[in-house]
Amino acid sequence: MRSGDRRAHTGRVNVGGDSAMRRVTKFHTPEILFGPGALAEAANAVAALGVSRPLVVSDRRLAETEWFSRLLADLRGRGLTPAAYLDVTPNPRAEEVIAGRSAYGEHRADGLVALGGGSVIDTAKGVAVLAANGGHILEYEGIDKAVQSLPPLVAVPSTAGSGADVSQFCIINDTERRTKVTIVGRTLVPNVAVIDPVLVTTAPSAVIAQAGMDALTHCVEAFVSLARGRLTDALAVESLTGVWTNLERLVHDPADEQAGTEMSLAALRAGMAFTNAILGATHAMSHPVGGYCDAPHGTVNSVLLPHVIRYNAQVCAEDFAELAAAVGLPASGSARSVADGLAEAVAGLAERVGMPATLSPLGVRAADLDLLTERALSDSCMLTNPRRPEAAGILDVYREAL
Protein backbone atom coordinates (compact mmCIF):
# COMPACT_ATOMS: atom_id res chain seq x y z
CA MET A 1 0.00 0.00 0.00
CA ARG A 2 1.47 3.36 -0.99
CA SER A 3 1.92 5.83 1.86
CA GLY A 4 -0.78 8.07 0.40
CA ASP A 5 -3.33 5.35 1.21
CA ARG A 6 -2.69 5.40 4.95
CA ARG A 7 -5.85 6.27 6.81
CA ALA A 8 -6.99 6.72 10.37
CA HIS A 9 -9.29 4.03 11.72
CA THR A 10 -12.06 6.55 12.37
CA GLY A 11 -14.83 6.83 9.82
CA ARG A 12 -14.32 3.31 8.48
CA VAL A 13 -17.24 0.94 8.10
CA ASN A 14 -17.37 -2.75 7.30
CA VAL A 15 -19.48 -3.43 4.22
CA GLY A 16 -19.83 -7.11 3.31
CA GLY A 17 -17.17 -8.44 5.64
CA ASP A 18 -13.50 -7.75 6.27
CA SER A 19 -12.60 -8.40 2.64
CA ALA A 20 -14.77 -5.49 1.56
CA MET A 21 -13.58 -2.73 3.86
CA ARG A 22 -14.60 0.62 2.45
CA ARG A 23 -14.02 4.02 3.93
CA VAL A 24 -16.90 6.48 4.25
CA THR A 25 -15.84 10.08 4.70
CA LYS A 26 -17.80 13.12 5.75
CA PHE A 27 -16.95 16.51 4.26
CA HIS A 28 -18.23 19.56 6.12
CA THR A 29 -18.22 23.17 4.94
CA PRO A 30 -20.35 26.24 5.64
CA GLU A 31 -22.27 28.11 2.99
CA ILE A 32 -19.64 30.13 1.11
CA LEU A 33 -20.02 33.49 -0.61
CA PHE A 34 -16.83 34.25 -2.52
CA GLY A 35 -15.67 37.07 -4.77
CA PRO A 36 -14.78 40.76 -4.91
CA GLY A 37 -17.63 42.72 -3.37
CA ALA A 38 -18.93 39.78 -1.35
CA LEU A 39 -18.90 41.91 1.82
CA ALA A 40 -22.12 43.53 0.59
CA GLU A 41 -23.83 40.15 1.00
CA ALA A 42 -22.89 39.68 4.64
CA ALA A 43 -25.89 41.52 6.04
CA ASN A 44 -28.21 39.50 3.81
CA ALA A 45 -26.62 36.29 5.10
CA VAL A 46 -27.11 37.40 8.71
CA ALA A 47 -30.75 38.26 8.11
CA ALA A 48 -31.37 34.98 6.29
CA LEU A 49 -30.26 33.13 9.43
CA GLY A 50 -33.04 34.82 11.39
CA VAL A 51 -30.69 37.00 13.42
CA SER A 52 -32.05 40.40 14.48
CA ARG A 53 -29.51 41.57 17.08
CA PRO A 54 -26.05 40.52 15.87
CA LEU A 55 -22.88 41.09 17.86
CA VAL A 56 -20.11 42.11 15.46
CA VAL A 57 -16.74 40.83 16.69
CA SER A 58 -13.69 42.63 15.27
CA ASP A 59 -10.55 44.42 16.46
CA ARG A 60 -9.52 48.03 16.97
CA ARG A 61 -7.53 48.29 13.72
CA LEU A 62 -10.34 46.98 11.56
CA ALA A 63 -12.86 49.17 13.36
CA GLU A 64 -11.13 52.13 11.72
CA THR A 65 -11.55 50.77 8.20
CA GLU A 66 -14.31 51.34 5.70
CA TRP A 67 -15.10 47.62 5.80
CA PHE A 68 -16.26 47.81 9.39
CA SER A 69 -18.41 50.90 8.94
CA ARG A 70 -19.85 49.49 5.73
CA LEU A 71 -20.78 46.23 7.43
CA LEU A 72 -22.57 48.01 10.29
CA ALA A 73 -24.40 50.25 7.84
CA ASP A 74 -25.50 47.24 5.79
CA LEU A 75 -26.76 45.45 8.91
CA ARG A 76 -28.76 48.48 9.96
CA GLY A 77 -30.03 48.85 6.41
CA ARG A 78 -31.55 45.40 6.73
CA GLY A 79 -33.42 46.52 9.83
CA LEU A 80 -31.07 44.71 12.22
CA THR A 81 -29.69 46.08 15.49
CA PRO A 82 -25.94 45.40 15.68
CA ALA A 83 -23.50 46.03 18.51
CA ALA A 84 -19.72 45.64 18.38
CA TYR A 85 -17.10 43.91 20.52
CA LEU A 86 -13.59 45.03 19.56
CA ASP A 87 -11.26 43.95 22.37
CA VAL A 88 -9.57 41.15 20.42
CA THR A 89 -5.80 40.79 20.17
CA PRO A 90 -3.58 38.41 18.18
CA ASN A 91 -3.50 35.00 19.85
CA PRO A 92 -6.87 35.74 21.52
CA ARG A 93 -6.96 35.31 25.26
CA ALA A 94 -9.54 33.37 27.24
CA GLU A 95 -10.44 36.54 29.10
CA GLU A 96 -11.24 38.26 25.79
CA VAL A 97 -13.70 35.49 24.96
CA ILE A 98 -15.31 35.84 28.37
CA ALA A 99 -15.61 39.62 27.92
CA GLY A 100 -17.12 39.02 24.49
CA ARG A 101 -19.67 36.67 26.03
CA SER A 102 -20.62 39.44 28.47
CA ALA A 103 -21.05 41.87 25.57
CA TYR A 104 -23.22 39.29 23.80
CA GLY A 105 -25.49 39.01 26.82
CA GLU A 106 -25.65 42.75 27.45
CA HIS A 107 -26.76 43.32 23.86
CA ARG A 108 -29.27 40.45 24.11
CA ALA A 109 -27.69 39.23 20.89
CA ASP A 110 -29.03 36.28 18.94
CA GLY A 111 -26.12 35.73 16.55
CA LEU A 112 -22.60 36.83 15.64
CA VAL A 113 -20.67 38.33 12.75
CA ALA A 114 -16.87 38.05 12.82
CA LEU A 115 -14.95 40.57 10.71
CA GLY A 116 -11.21 39.96 10.89
CA GLY A 117 -8.45 37.40 10.81
CA GLY A 118 -8.23 34.07 12.55
CA SER A 119 -7.98 35.63 16.02
CA VAL A 120 -11.23 37.54 15.57
CA ILE A 121 -13.08 34.56 14.13
CA ASP A 122 -11.81 32.25 16.87
CA THR A 123 -12.94 34.76 19.50
CA ALA A 124 -16.40 34.85 17.94
CA LYS A 125 -16.50 31.05 17.98
CA GLY A 126 -15.54 31.08 21.65
CA VAL A 127 -18.29 33.58 22.44
CA ALA A 128 -20.76 31.35 20.58
CA VAL A 129 -19.62 28.30 22.55
CA LEU A 130 -20.20 30.05 25.87
CA ALA A 131 -23.51 31.58 24.79
CA ALA A 132 -24.87 28.11 24.03
CA ASN A 133 -23.05 25.91 26.53
CA GLY A 134 -22.05 28.13 29.45
CA GLY A 135 -19.00 27.59 31.65
CA HIS A 136 -15.44 28.75 30.97
CA ILE A 137 -13.98 28.59 27.48
CA LEU A 138 -10.92 26.61 28.61
CA GLU A 139 -13.22 23.79 29.74
CA TYR A 140 -13.86 22.99 26.08
CA GLU A 141 -10.30 22.02 25.20
CA GLY A 142 -10.30 18.87 23.09
CA ILE A 143 -12.75 17.34 20.65
CA ASP A 144 -16.55 17.70 20.63
CA LYS A 145 -16.85 19.19 24.12
CA ALA A 146 -19.34 21.89 23.01
CA VAL A 147 -22.38 19.72 22.46
CA GLN A 148 -25.16 22.33 22.32
CA SER A 149 -25.89 24.00 18.98
CA LEU A 150 -24.22 27.40 18.71
CA PRO A 151 -25.97 30.65 17.78
CA PRO A 152 -25.65 31.61 14.09
CA LEU A 153 -22.21 32.83 13.04
CA VAL A 154 -21.24 34.60 9.81
CA ALA A 155 -17.47 34.85 9.29
CA VAL A 156 -15.93 37.56 7.11
CA PRO A 157 -12.14 36.99 6.92
CA SER A 158 -9.86 39.97 6.38
CA THR A 159 -6.78 37.80 5.80
CA ALA A 160 -6.00 34.89 3.48
CA GLY A 161 -4.64 32.09 5.59
CA SER A 162 -6.26 31.10 8.88
CA GLY A 163 -9.12 29.09 7.39
CA ALA A 164 -11.08 29.85 10.56
CA ASP A 165 -14.01 30.99 8.43
CA VAL A 166 -14.64 27.41 7.27
CA SER A 167 -13.02 25.30 10.00
CA GLN A 168 -14.13 23.38 13.06
CA PHE A 169 -11.16 24.69 15.07
CA CYS A 170 -11.02 27.40 17.72
CA ILE A 171 -7.62 28.27 19.22
CA ILE A 172 -7.60 30.25 22.48
CA ASN A 173 -4.65 31.43 24.57
CA ASP A 174 -4.57 30.27 28.19
CA THR A 175 -2.49 33.13 29.60
CA GLU A 176 -2.07 31.55 33.04
CA ARG A 177 -0.40 28.44 31.62
CA ARG A 178 1.08 30.38 28.67
CA THR A 179 -0.18 27.90 26.10
CA LYS A 180 -2.84 27.70 23.44
CA VAL A 181 -5.90 25.54 23.89
CA THR A 182 -7.28 23.70 20.86
CA ILE A 183 -11.07 23.38 20.74
CA VAL A 184 -12.43 21.17 17.95
CA GLY A 185 -15.94 20.25 16.92
CA ARG A 186 -18.37 20.32 14.02
CA THR A 187 -20.56 22.77 15.92
CA LEU A 188 -17.79 25.38 15.56
CA VAL A 189 -18.01 25.55 11.77
CA PRO A 190 -19.55 28.95 10.88
CA ASN A 191 -22.94 28.94 9.18
CA VAL A 192 -21.76 31.23 6.39
CA ALA A 193 -18.30 32.35 5.21
CA VAL A 194 -18.29 35.63 3.28
CA ILE A 195 -14.93 35.89 1.52
CA ASP A 196 -14.21 39.21 -0.15
CA PRO A 197 -10.66 39.20 -1.57
CA VAL A 198 -10.55 42.99 -1.66
CA LEU A 199 -10.27 43.03 2.13
CA VAL A 200 -7.05 41.02 1.91
CA THR A 201 -5.36 43.59 -0.31
CA THR A 202 -5.60 46.22 2.44
CA ALA A 203 -3.76 44.13 5.05
CA PRO A 204 -0.15 44.96 6.03
CA SER A 205 2.50 42.94 4.17
CA ALA A 206 3.66 41.26 7.38
CA VAL A 207 0.13 40.03 8.09
CA ILE A 208 -0.24 38.79 4.51
CA ALA A 209 3.00 36.82 4.85
CA GLN A 210 2.07 35.28 8.19
CA ALA A 211 -1.40 34.29 6.99
CA GLY A 212 -0.05 32.90 3.73
CA MET A 213 2.49 30.67 5.46
CA ASP A 214 -0.31 29.45 7.71
CA ALA A 215 -2.34 28.48 4.63
CA LEU A 216 0.67 26.72 3.13
CA THR A 217 1.09 24.73 6.35
CA HIS A 218 -2.59 23.79 6.30
CA CYS A 219 -2.43 22.25 2.84
CA VAL A 220 0.85 20.40 3.47
CA GLU A 221 -0.35 18.92 6.76
CA ALA A 222 -3.79 18.04 5.38
CA PHE A 223 -2.19 16.17 2.48
CA VAL A 224 -0.23 13.83 4.76
CA SER A 225 -2.78 13.58 7.60
CA LEU A 226 -3.97 10.17 8.72
CA ALA A 227 -7.54 11.39 8.20
CA ARG A 228 -7.04 12.63 4.63
CA GLY A 229 -9.30 11.68 1.74
CA ARG A 230 -9.59 12.25 -1.99
CA LEU A 231 -11.52 15.50 -1.59
CA THR A 232 -9.04 16.94 0.91
CA ASP A 233 -6.09 15.80 -1.21
CA ALA A 234 -7.37 17.64 -4.27
CA LEU A 235 -8.05 20.80 -2.31
CA ALA A 236 -4.65 20.65 -0.61
CA VAL A 237 -2.76 20.40 -3.90
CA GLU A 238 -4.76 23.21 -5.50
CA SER A 239 -4.19 25.36 -2.42
CA LEU A 240 -0.47 24.69 -2.39
CA THR A 241 -0.05 25.72 -6.01
CA GLY A 242 -2.09 28.86 -5.36
CA VAL A 243 0.03 29.92 -2.40
CA TRP A 244 3.25 29.04 -4.19
CA THR A 245 2.34 31.20 -7.17
CA ASN A 246 0.78 34.20 -5.44
CA LEU A 247 1.98 34.71 -1.86
CA GLU A 248 5.29 36.38 -2.63
CA ARG A 249 3.60 38.51 -5.27
CA LEU A 250 0.92 39.73 -2.83
CA VAL A 251 3.40 40.39 -0.01
CA HIS A 252 5.41 42.70 -2.26
CA ASP A 253 2.30 44.37 -3.69
CA PRO A 254 -0.68 44.14 -1.33
CA ALA A 255 -2.81 46.15 -3.75
CA ASP A 256 -2.58 43.40 -6.39
CA GLU A 257 -6.24 42.36 -6.55
CA GLN A 258 -5.61 39.33 -8.75
CA ALA A 259 -3.03 37.97 -6.33
CA GLY A 260 -5.38 38.77 -3.45
CA THR A 261 -8.19 36.83 -5.10
CA GLU A 262 -5.95 33.84 -5.79
CA MET A 263 -4.59 33.85 -2.23
CA SER A 264 -8.12 34.09 -0.81
CA LEU A 265 -9.10 31.09 -2.94
CA ALA A 266 -6.00 29.19 -1.84
CA ALA A 267 -6.73 29.93 1.82
CA LEU A 268 -10.33 28.77 1.36
CA ARG A 269 -9.24 25.51 -0.24
CA ALA A 270 -6.65 24.93 2.49
CA GLY A 271 -9.26 25.62 5.15
CA MET A 272 -11.71 23.13 3.66
CA ALA A 273 -8.91 20.58 3.40
CA PHE A 274 -7.61 20.82 6.93
CA THR A 275 -10.94 21.10 8.74
CA ASN A 276 -11.88 17.74 7.22
CA ALA A 277 -8.46 16.05 7.20
CA ILE A 278 -7.23 17.72 10.42
CA LEU A 279 -3.55 18.68 10.82
CA GLY A 280 -0.31 17.37 12.29
CA ALA A 281 2.88 17.99 14.21
CA THR A 282 3.58 21.47 12.84
CA HIS A 283 0.40 22.87 14.34
CA ALA A 284 0.70 20.75 17.48
CA MET A 285 4.17 22.22 18.05
CA SER A 286 3.22 25.72 16.96
CA HIS A 287 0.35 26.15 19.41
CA PRO A 288 2.50 25.89 22.58
CA VAL A 289 5.11 28.24 21.12
CA GLY A 290 2.47 30.80 20.21
CA GLY A 291 1.01 30.70 23.70
CA TYR A 292 4.33 30.67 25.53
CA CYS A 293 5.96 33.48 23.54
CA ASP A 294 2.86 35.27 22.21
CA ALA A 295 4.30 34.84 18.72
CA PRO A 296 2.30 35.08 15.46
CA HIS A 297 0.90 31.68 14.55
CA GLY A 298 1.78 31.80 10.86
CA THR A 299 5.33 32.86 11.66
CA VAL A 300 5.85 29.93 14.04
CA ASN A 301 4.42 27.54 11.44
CA SER A 302 6.78 28.87 8.78
CA VAL A 303 9.79 28.11 10.98
CA LEU A 304 8.64 24.65 12.03
CA LEU A 305 7.19 23.31 8.79
CA PRO A 306 10.45 22.50 6.94
CA HIS A 307 11.73 20.59 9.99
CA VAL A 308 8.45 18.68 10.39
CA ILE A 309 8.49 17.76 6.69
CA ARG A 310 11.90 16.14 7.21
CA TYR A 311 10.68 14.46 10.41
CA ASN A 312 7.57 13.01 8.76
CA ALA A 313 9.35 12.11 5.52
CA GLN A 314 10.65 8.99 7.24
CA VAL A 315 7.16 7.51 6.85
CA CYS A 316 5.55 9.39 3.95
CA ALA A 317 8.29 10.72 1.67
CA GLU A 318 6.26 9.79 -1.41
CA ASP A 319 3.46 12.12 -0.35
CA PHE A 320 5.83 15.04 0.01
CA ALA A 321 7.32 14.16 -3.36
CA GLU A 322 3.83 14.53 -4.87
CA LEU A 323 3.55 18.00 -3.37
CA ALA A 324 6.99 18.90 -4.65
CA ALA A 325 5.97 17.85 -8.16
CA ALA A 326 2.80 19.93 -7.91
CA VAL A 327 4.85 23.11 -7.49
CA GLY A 328 7.43 22.17 -10.12
CA LEU A 329 10.36 21.19 -7.92
CA PRO A 330 13.00 18.80 -9.31
CA ALA A 331 11.88 15.17 -9.08
CA SER A 332 15.24 13.42 -9.49
CA GLY A 333 16.61 11.13 -6.81
CA SER A 334 14.80 9.23 -4.08
CA ALA A 335 11.45 10.30 -2.68
CA ARG A 336 13.25 11.19 0.54
CA SER A 337 15.65 13.52 -1.25
CA VAL A 338 12.73 15.16 -3.09
CA ALA A 339 10.94 15.63 0.26
CA ASP A 340 14.08 17.28 1.61
CA GLY A 341 14.03 19.55 -1.44
CA LEU A 342 10.45 20.53 -0.63
CA ALA A 343 11.48 21.40 2.93
CA GLU A 344 14.28 23.60 1.60
CA ALA A 345 11.95 25.28 -0.88
CA VAL A 346 9.40 26.02 1.87
CA ALA A 347 12.15 27.57 3.98
CA GLY A 348 13.24 29.63 0.98
CA LEU A 349 9.73 30.95 0.37
CA ALA A 350 9.39 31.83 4.05
CA GLU A 351 12.64 33.78 3.93
CA ARG A 352 11.57 35.68 0.81
CA VAL A 353 8.35 36.86 2.46
CA GLY A 354 10.16 38.03 5.57
CA MET A 355 9.77 35.16 8.02
CA PRO A 356 12.55 34.37 10.53
CA ALA A 357 14.61 31.24 9.95
CA THR A 358 14.59 30.03 13.56
CA LEU A 359 12.50 30.15 16.72
CA SER A 360 15.07 32.12 18.73
CA PRO A 361 13.97 35.58 17.47
CA LEU A 362 10.45 34.73 18.65
CA GLY A 363 11.66 34.32 22.23
CA VAL A 364 12.08 30.55 22.45
CA ARG A 365 15.03 29.37 24.57
CA ALA A 366 16.68 25.99 24.88
CA ALA A 367 15.44 25.78 28.47
CA ASP A 368 11.84 25.97 27.19
CA LEU A 369 11.97 22.98 24.87
CA ASP A 370 11.08 20.21 27.32
CA LEU A 371 7.92 22.04 28.38
CA LEU A 372 7.00 22.86 24.77
CA THR A 373 7.48 19.21 23.81
CA GLU A 374 5.21 18.02 26.60
CA ARG A 375 2.49 20.41 25.52
CA ALA A 376 2.86 19.62 21.83
CA LEU A 377 2.40 15.91 22.47
CA SER A 378 -0.94 16.57 24.17
CA ASP A 379 -2.29 18.82 21.38
CA SER A 380 -5.24 17.39 19.43
CA CYS A 381 -3.52 18.08 16.10
CA MET A 382 -0.88 15.46 16.91
CA LEU A 383 -3.47 12.67 16.65
CA THR A 384 -3.46 12.73 12.84
CA ASN A 385 0.26 13.26 12.29
CA PRO A 386 1.49 10.57 9.85
CA ARG A 387 4.46 9.61 12.00
CA ARG A 388 3.70 8.40 15.51
CA PRO A 389 5.23 11.12 17.70
CA GLU A 390 7.60 10.42 20.55
CA ALA A 391 9.00 12.93 23.00
CA ALA A 392 12.60 12.46 21.86
CA GLY A 393 11.74 13.04 18.20
CA ILE A 394 9.60 16.13 18.82
CA LEU A 395 12.29 17.55 21.11
CA ASP A 396 14.84 17.04 18.35
CA VAL A 397 12.64 18.94 15.88
CA TYR A 398 12.39 21.85 18.30
CA ARG A 399 16.15 21.83 18.75
CA GLU A 400 16.73 21.85 15.00
CA ALA A 401 14.35 24.81 14.65
CA LEU A 402 15.89 26.80 17.51
Side-chain angles (χ1 to χ4, degrees):
M1 177 167 55
R2 61 181 283 274
S3 60
D5 291 331
R6 292 170 293 102
R7 297 290 186 267
H9 64 82
T10 56
R12 180 170 291 184
V13 295
N14 189 343
V15 181
D18 291 339
S19 62
M21 290 291 283
R22 299 178 183 177
R23 187 167 187 270
V24 176
T25 59
K26 183 176 182 179
F27 192 87
H28 194 168
T29 65
E31 179 182 350
I32 298 168
L33 304 175
F34 181 95
L39 178 64
E41 298 299 324
N44 295 332
V46 175
L49 291 169
V51 175
S52 61
R53 300 182 62 84
L55 180 69
V56 178
V57 179
S58 193
D59 60 36
R60 297 289 174 179
R61 184 188 72 83
L62 277 164
E64 298 177 355
T65 67
E66 64 176 296
W67 316 122
F68 180 82
S69 57
R70 186 181 300 177
L71 174 61
L72 260 62
D74 288 346
L75 291 168
R76 294 186 182 110
R78 284 301 309 258
L80 310 183
T81 306
Y85 174 68
L86 304 175
D87 293 327
V88 179
T89 59
N91 297 322
R93 281 75 168 150
E95 47 267 34
E96 295 169 4
V97 174
I98 294 168
R101 170 64 182 96
S102 295
Y104 187 90
E106 290 168 4
H107 182 55
R108 292 179 287 113
D110 55 358
L112 296 118
V113 185
L115 173 64
S119 295
V120 165
I121 298 172
D122 280 354
T123 300
K125 290 181 180 181
V127 171
V129 167
L130 296 187
N133 294 269
H136 193 288
I137 191 61
L138 298 180
E139 297 172 1
Y140 295 94
E141 179 177 11
I143 301 172
D144 292 332
K145 298 291 183 64
V147 296
Q148 299 300 321
S149 297
L150 274 54
L153 170 60
V154 174
V156 187
S158 62
T159 61
S162 78
D165 47 300
V166 295
S167 85
Q168 60 173 318
F169 284 76
C170 173
I171 312 298
I172 302 299
N173 199 347
D174 179 348
T175 52
E176 289 190 10
R177 291 191 299 148
R178 293 178 65 187
T179 192
K180 287 186 175 182
V181 166
T182 302
I183 302 168
V184 189
R186 297 288 183 178
T187 60
L188 275 70
V189 178
N191 298 80
V192 183
V194 180
I195 304 169
D196 189 336
V198 178
L199 274 64
V200 172
T201 62
T202 64
S205 290
V207 172
I208 292 171
Q210 293 160 11
M213 292 306 297
D214 193 18
L216 188 148
T217 307
H218 291 156
C219 50
V220 171
E221 293 214 287
F223 192 77
V224 300
S225 165
L226 291 177
R228 62 189 282 199
R230 293 180 67 180
L231 282 172
T232 61
D233 279 0
L235 288 164
V237 171
E238 290 175 344
S239 173
L240 180 63
T241 57
V243 174
W244 210 264
T245 305
N246 294 283
L247 176 58
E248 191 174 356
R249 175 179 164 187
L250 186 60
V251 167
H252 294 304
D253 183 10
D256 187 332
E257 291 192 13
Q258 182 181 5
T261 297
E262 293 301 321
M263 276 302 301
S264 293
L265 187 57
L268 171 60
R269 286 168 168 160
M272 291 191 293
F274 89 79
T275 194
N276 287 283
I278 317 299
L279 294 160
T282 306
H283 274 76
M285 297 175 69
S286 178
H287 291 153
V289 172
Y292 196 74
C293 300
D294 199 19
H297 175 64
T299 302
V300 181
N301 279 347
S302 74
V303 174
L304 290 171
L305 181 58
H307 301 281
V308 174
I309 289 174
R310 296 186 186 98
Y311 173 80
N312 282 333
Q314 291 194 22
V315 299
C316 58
E318 295 88 351
D319 297 329
F320 291 123
E322 285 188 47
L323 293 179
V327 295
L329 297 180
S332 59
S334 66
R336 184 63 187 274
S337 67
V338 176
D340 288 342
L342 176 64
E344 293 174 8
V346 168
L349 175 61
E351 180 182 9
R352 293 194 300 275
V353 298
M355 297 291 99
T358 65
L359 294 175
S360 296
L362 303 179
V364 180
R365 305 165 301 166
D368 303 325
L369 299 187
D370 286 331
L371 175 61
L372 294 175
T373 297
E374 178 184 347
R375 290 176 172 175
L377 288 169
S378 65
D379 191 283
S380 299
C381 291
M382 199 68 87
L383 294 173
T384 45
N385 192 66
R387 179 178 173 183
R388 184 180 297 276
E390 297 179 352
I394 298 302
L395 181 60
D396 284 344
V397 174
Y398 273 132
R399 285 173 176 155
E400 292 167 2
L402 190 60

